[in-house]
Amino acid sequence: MFHADIKDVAMVTSVRMAPPLPLIFLLMIHGVCSQKEGVIYSPSHICAVNDSTVTMRCTYTYPTGYNIMKVFWTKGPFQKDVEPPDLSNDTEYSQRLQYLGDKQQNCTVRLSHVTLKDSHMYCFRFITNTTTGKWTGYPGVTLTVTDLQVESPERVTEGDSVNLRCKSSCALTDRATFIWYRNSQPLTERRDRNNELLLQSVRREDSGRYSCAVDGHTHISPAVQINVMYPPKNVSVLISGSGVIVEGDSVTLNCISDSNPPAEISWIKGGTIVGSGRIFSISKISSDDSGEYKCKSINEHGGKYSDAVTLNVMYSPRNVSVLISKSGVIVEGDSVTLNCISDSNPPAEISWIKGRTIVGSGRIYNISKISSDDSGEYKCKSRNEHGEKYSDNVTLNVMYPPRIVSVLMSGSGVIVEGDSVTLNCISDSNPPALNFSWFKENETSAVGSGQSFSALQSGRFYCQAHNQHGSQRSDAVTVTVHHRSSWHEVFGITVECGAIFILVIIIIIVILFIIKKRRSVKNENITVKEISDPNEDTYTALV
Ligand SMILES: *[C@@H]1O[C@H](CO)[C@@H](O)[C@H](O)[C@H]1NC(C)=O
Ligand SMILES: *[C@@H]1O[C@H](CO)[C@@H](O)[C@H](O)[C@H]1NC(C)=O
Ligand SMILES: *[C@@H]1O[C@H](CO)[C@@H](O)[C@H](O)[C@H]1NC(C)=O
Ligand SMILES: *[C@@H]1O[C@H](CO)[C@@H](O)[C@H](O)[C@H]1NC(C)=O
Ligand SMILES: *[C@@H]1O[C@H](CO)[C@@H](O)[C@H](O)[C@H]1NC(C)=O
Ligand SMILES: *[C@@H]1O[C@H](CO)[C@@H](O)[C@H](O)[C@H]1NC(C)=O
Ligand SMILES: *[C@@H]1O[C@H](CO)[C@@H](O)[C@H](O)[C@H]1NC(C)=O
Ligand SMILES: *[C@@H]1O[C@H](CO)[C@@H](O)[C@H](O)[C@H]1NC(C)=O
Ligand SMILES: *[C@@H]1O[C@H](CO)[C@@H](O)[C@H](O)[C@H]1NC(C)=O
Ligand SMILES: *[C@@H]1O[C@H](CO)[C@@H](O)[C@H](O)[C@H]1NC(C)=O
């Protein structure tokens, strides 16, 4: 270095002592940078980050006996006959340029807030008190100002290893330390090489806006979006509304899935695809829509099902009917079970109604030994919290054999020989008895049939009533027949009043006739008594 300085000084000196004409001409007339003699830039190339402050180190020497009149920094292009401009007079630089050197040997200058436009070659120039003593240190310092760019792969998929590079257009010094940011937050991840950030096995949390900077400098690169792709995960189904779904409701299923890029959704119910899209709506739900639903979420990186959700559609009872255990005829003493069938969700409460009275509850209504009192109209009522419904009536018609059989007799049961008395057989049975047999007590064979019977003889009669379920006999009634021979007996029994009446009329007529006869005898005054006496027997006989 020292040696170089000596040489440079020697060369400058040689210029002064024996200037080769063309070179002097160039230096003086054109004012271009001279050869390196006299000015040393260290370093001669500077790579600076945008907006940073650059110090251009420089030393110069000039021949003894010269006096330095002016020192300044300038930049090309240099023109013939034009004095290179003093950068401190340039408004672009005046505020940012600071000369740190002196008028002896130090020509260091500082330029702050460099921008890309500042990329140039800068030269130091000094002017001495001799007309020929003007020097420009050429070539000067080459300043390259660079911005920073994050270089990243185009597509990033979960699990990849990703290298981000903070790129500059020139080589920054090895001492430069890079800083990385994700979403403006500094990162502490390990750095593989100085200007590289290594993301090993990226996760979706690594997505974000990445930018880089050089420590100690304000410039930050534009952010680059890293978008980590991943297959659907965390797939779940949300059901609109809360809890209970009742028939007729409007229900919306929402498939929530986390994926990048967004997944295609399809809906599956019991192995069948029933819809697509994130939202699956059922506008008027019916019980047929009950079941398990799954959504399937697919993107180019994979697919996933969720857990299934179950729709349990509630509805009020319907199709309510009564089943009777026994088909056909029900006979007293049978065991009969009524079963209420109904379709509802949730299961209904059942009550049993006979006529208008509640007689029981529960799906099964048991009548272990049915009696005729149990005959009637039955229905069941099926009820849950969503409504109620009645079944149709079923009729229980309990059959039973005749009972309470009795004989109804017209009159007292006392008749005159030749007359008859009508006996009626009264019975209670289901179905009504149509077959009656009449018996005389202590005789084995029947004396008659049919509901009524005319008794002609004395005796104790009873009837037996039959239906298909059995028979029952009545108590016996007594019929007494009187013979006509006895007058008193004739009166004894209440016989035809008409006969008696006619008899009385005849007697009256006879009496009237006798009275008339007696009057005619008085008138003749002849033997009345003699005539009347023989007639008296006749009267008696007639009466
Ligand atoms: C350089 O820095 C300046 C000042 O911060 C800024 O205005 C300019 O946009 C930067 N240029 C680039 C290319 O980053
Ligand atoms: C720079 O400006 C000063 C006045 O501000 C002037 O005296 C000087 O000559 C100028 N220098 C050049 C090289 O233009
Ligand atoms: C020149 O001046 C600068 C700033 O004052 C200083 O940092 C540098 O060391 C000096 N160079 C020499 C060779 O003296
Ligand atoms: C330049 O200045 C020096 C020192 O003051 C002096 O010795 C020399 O004669 C001057 N040269 C001219 C050409 O004026
Ligand atoms: C699902 O999401 C929750 C909350 O967002 C999260 O805590 C959980 O780790 C996720 N599970 C999976 C398997 O991604
Ligand atoms: C009753 O059930 C049948 C089939 O079991 C069904 O077709 C009908 O729609 C149901 N009736 C009502 C009112 O739900
Ligand atoms: C069912 O029976 C009840 C009681 O006997 C009666 O009031 C009602 O009208 C009947 N309903 C039908 C549909 O027959
Ligand atoms: C109803 O009666 C049947 C037959 O006697 C019997 O098996 C059943 O357990 C009974 N059910 C109820 C609920 O009493
Ligand atoms: C009436 O019932 C008796 C006894 O069961 C039977 O012998 C007779 O044939 C029945 N008569 C008719 C007409 O049903
Ligand atoms: C029928 O016989 C019973 C004894 O077997 C007897 O006591 C009863 O008097 C008899 N009745 C008639 C009407 O003969």
Side-chain angles (χ1 to χ4, degrees):
M1 194 64 173
F2 177 74
H3 182 73
D5 283 352
I6 298 297
K7 187 190 167 201
D8 288 346
V9 171
M11 287 182 78
V12 171
T13 309
S14 78
V15 164
R16 180 189 62 89
M17 303 301 269
L21 276 175
L23 182 61
I24 298 292
F25 178 83
L26 272 174
L27 282 170
M28 291 169 60
I29 307 303
H30 298 282
V32 296
C33 291
S34 77
Q35 290 100 329
K36 256 171 89 182
E37 298 97 291
V39 183
I40 297 170
Y41 304 105
S42 173
S44 58
H45 286 83
I46 297 177
C47 177
V49 180
N50 184 34
D51 206 24
S52 61
T53 295
V54 175
T55 301
M56 295 181 253
R57 294 186 185 282
C58 160
T59 54
Y60 68 104
T61 50
Y62 56 93
T64 47
Y66 280 64
N67 208 11
I68 298 293
M69 302 302 292
K70 187 173 186 206
V71 292
F72 63 93
W73 284 79
T74 186
K75 69 169 187 180
F78 302 109
Q79 284 170 7
K80 213 176 165 183
D81 297 331
V82 177
E83 177 65 19
D86 181 350
L87 285 183
S88 57
N89 277 19
D90 185 333
T91 53
E92 290 270 323
Y93 289 90
S94 56
Q95 298 298 310
R96 301 186 288 130
L97 200 65
Q98 190 186 0
Y99 187 69
L100 301 176
D102 50 33
K103 288 193 172 177
Q104 309 298 318
Q105 54 168 5
N106 196 332
C107 49
T108 300
V109 74
R110 176 184 288 163
L111 181 63
S112 58
H113 298 294
V114 293
T115 69
L116 269 56
K117 280 196 297 182
D118 295 332
S119 295
H120 279 289
M121 180 192 278
Y122 294 91
C123 295
F124 175 67
R125 183 171 171 80
F126 60 91
I127 296 168
T128 63
N129 62 343
T130 62
T131 48
T132 55
K134 298 178 179 179
W135 279 270
T136 300
Y138 184 87
V141 184
T142 304
L143 173 65
T144 310
V145 180
T146 181
D147 60 352
L148 299 173
Q149 299 283 350
V150 174
E151 216 176 44
S152 67
E154 231 168 76
R155 293 174 62 83
V156 177
T157 305
E158 198 174 46
D160 288 355
S161 277
V162 173
N163 231 354
L164 302 182
R165 211 151 68 88
C166 192
K167 214 179 74 173
S168 54
S169 61
C170 56
L172 292 162
T173 70
D174 290 343
R175 289 195 312 272
T177 304
F178 287 84
I179 299 173
W180 288 90
Y181 298 91
R182 178 171 61 225
N183 302 328
S184 306
Q185 298 298 313
L187 292 177
T188 53
E189 264 94 340
R190 110 162 214 248
R191 272 136 246 195
D192 214 24
R193 258 179 268 158
N194 192 31
N195 64 337
E196 286 182 1
L197 175 69
L198 178 66
L199 301 172
Q200 266 176 324
S201 182
V202 290
R203 299 170 303 151
R204 61 210 157 112
E205 291 84 357
D206 294 324
S207 290
R209 293 182 345 270
Y210 284 80
S211 50
C212 62
V214 174
D215 194 18
H217 297 279
T218 54
H219 177 70
I220 296 179
S221 75
V224 163
Q225 178 72 39
I226 300 290
N227 191 8
V228 179
M229 306 287 181
Y230 53 93
K233 27 180 90 176
N234 254 359
V235 180
S236 63
V237 177
L238 281 189
I239 307 176
S240 65
S242 55
V244 178
I245 297 167
V246 182
E247 209 166 45
D249 281 359
S250 189
V251 173
T252 302
L253 303 182
N254 197 343
C255 186
I256 311 287
S257 90
D258 182 12
S259 72
N260 191 6
E264 278 189 12
I265 308 286
S266 50
W267 291 90
I268 291 136
K269 184 196 173 199
T272 312
I273 294 178
V274 293
S276 63
R278 197 159 288 281
I279 304 280
F280 182 62
S281 293
I282 308 171
S283 62
K284 265 196 160 187
I285 202 162
S286 85
S287 56
D288 294 342
D289 296 318
S290 286
E292 270 197 353
Y293 290 79
K294 286 192 277 198
C295 72
K296 186 178 163 190
S297 178
I298 288 190
N299 70 7
E300 61 255 45
H301 303 290
K304 199 171 194 305
Y305 291 92
S306 66
D307 297 333
V309 295
T310 300
L311 289 191
N312 186 11
V313 181
M314 302 294 175
Y315 51 96
S316 62
R318 60 192 181 199
N319 271 1
V320 182
S321 63
V322 175
L323 280 189
I324 306 176
S325 61
K326 238 179 114 62
S327 61
V329 176
I330 297 167
V331 181
E332 209 165 43
D334 282 354
S335 178
V336 174
T337 300
L338 302 183
N339 196 346
C340 186
I341 312 288
S342 91
D343 179 17
S344 73
N345 189 8
E349 277 182 16
I350 307 292
S351 48
W352 289 92
I353 294 141
K354 181 191 175 196
R356 293 212 173 119
T357 315
I358 294 176
V359 292
S361 63
R363 196 160 289 280
I364 303 286
Y365 184 60
N366 251 357
I367 309 172
S368 59
K369 269 197 154 188
I370 202 163
S371 85
S372 58
D373 294 342
D374 295 318
S375 286
E377 306 266 16
Y378 289 80
K379 63 188 170 193
C380 66
K381 179 170 115 175
S382 176
R383 181 171 187 280
N384 69 8
E385 58 256 48
H386 305 294
E388 63 179 41
K389 194 162 171 37
Y390 288 87
S391 70
D392 285 342
N393 282 337
V394 295
T395 304
L396 288 191
N397 186 11
V398 181
M399 303 298 176
Y400 52 93
R403 60 190 183 195
I404 324 173
V405 181
S406 61
V407 175
L408 200 67
M409 185 166 56
S410 57
S412 67
V414 180
I415 53 170
V416 188
E417 192 175 24
D419 286 340
S420 68
V421 63
T422 300
L423 306 182
N424 268 301
C425 192
I426 309 295
S427 76
D428 173 23
S429 72
N430 191 8
L434 293 174
N435 184 348
F436 300 91
S437 311
W438 291 91
F439 294 90
K440 197 170 177 192
E441 207 171 57
N442 291 357
E443 287 181 16
T444 48
S445 55
V447 295
S449 65
Q451 189 160 14
S452 57
F453 171 70
S454 291
L456 298 165
Q457 326 165 302
S458 292
R460 285 174 54 74
F461 295 91
Y462 64 85
C463 69
Q464 188 159 16
H466 306 258
N467 69 5
Q468 51 266 58
H469 305 294
S471 66
Q472 174 77 46
R473 56 161 284 186
S474 70
D475 288 339
V477 294
T478 305
V479 173
T480 310
V481 178
H482 286 276
H483 295 284
R484 274 190 193 283
S485 55
S486 163
W487 169 261
H488 296 288
E489 275 174 10
V490 172
F491 272 97
I493 30 169
T494 49
V495 204
E496 300 83 12
C497 295
I500 297 166
F501 182 68
I502 290 164
L503 215 66
V504 170
I505 295 295
I506 292 169
I507 293 166
I508 290 168
I509 289 169
V510 170
I511 291 169
L512 286 174
F513 177 71
I514 294 167
I515 291 169
K516 197 178 174 186
K517 203 123 190 228
R518 282 205 176 151
R519 273 182 192 154
S520 68
V521 169
K522 269 181 191 170
N523 290 343
E524 291 173 23
N525 277 335
I526 311 171
T527 56
V528 177
K529 268 196 178 171
E530 286 163 344
I531 297 167
S532 66
D533 279 346
N535 280 344
E536 282 206 34
D537 283 336
T538 313
Y539 296 146
T540 315
L542 274 173
V543 173

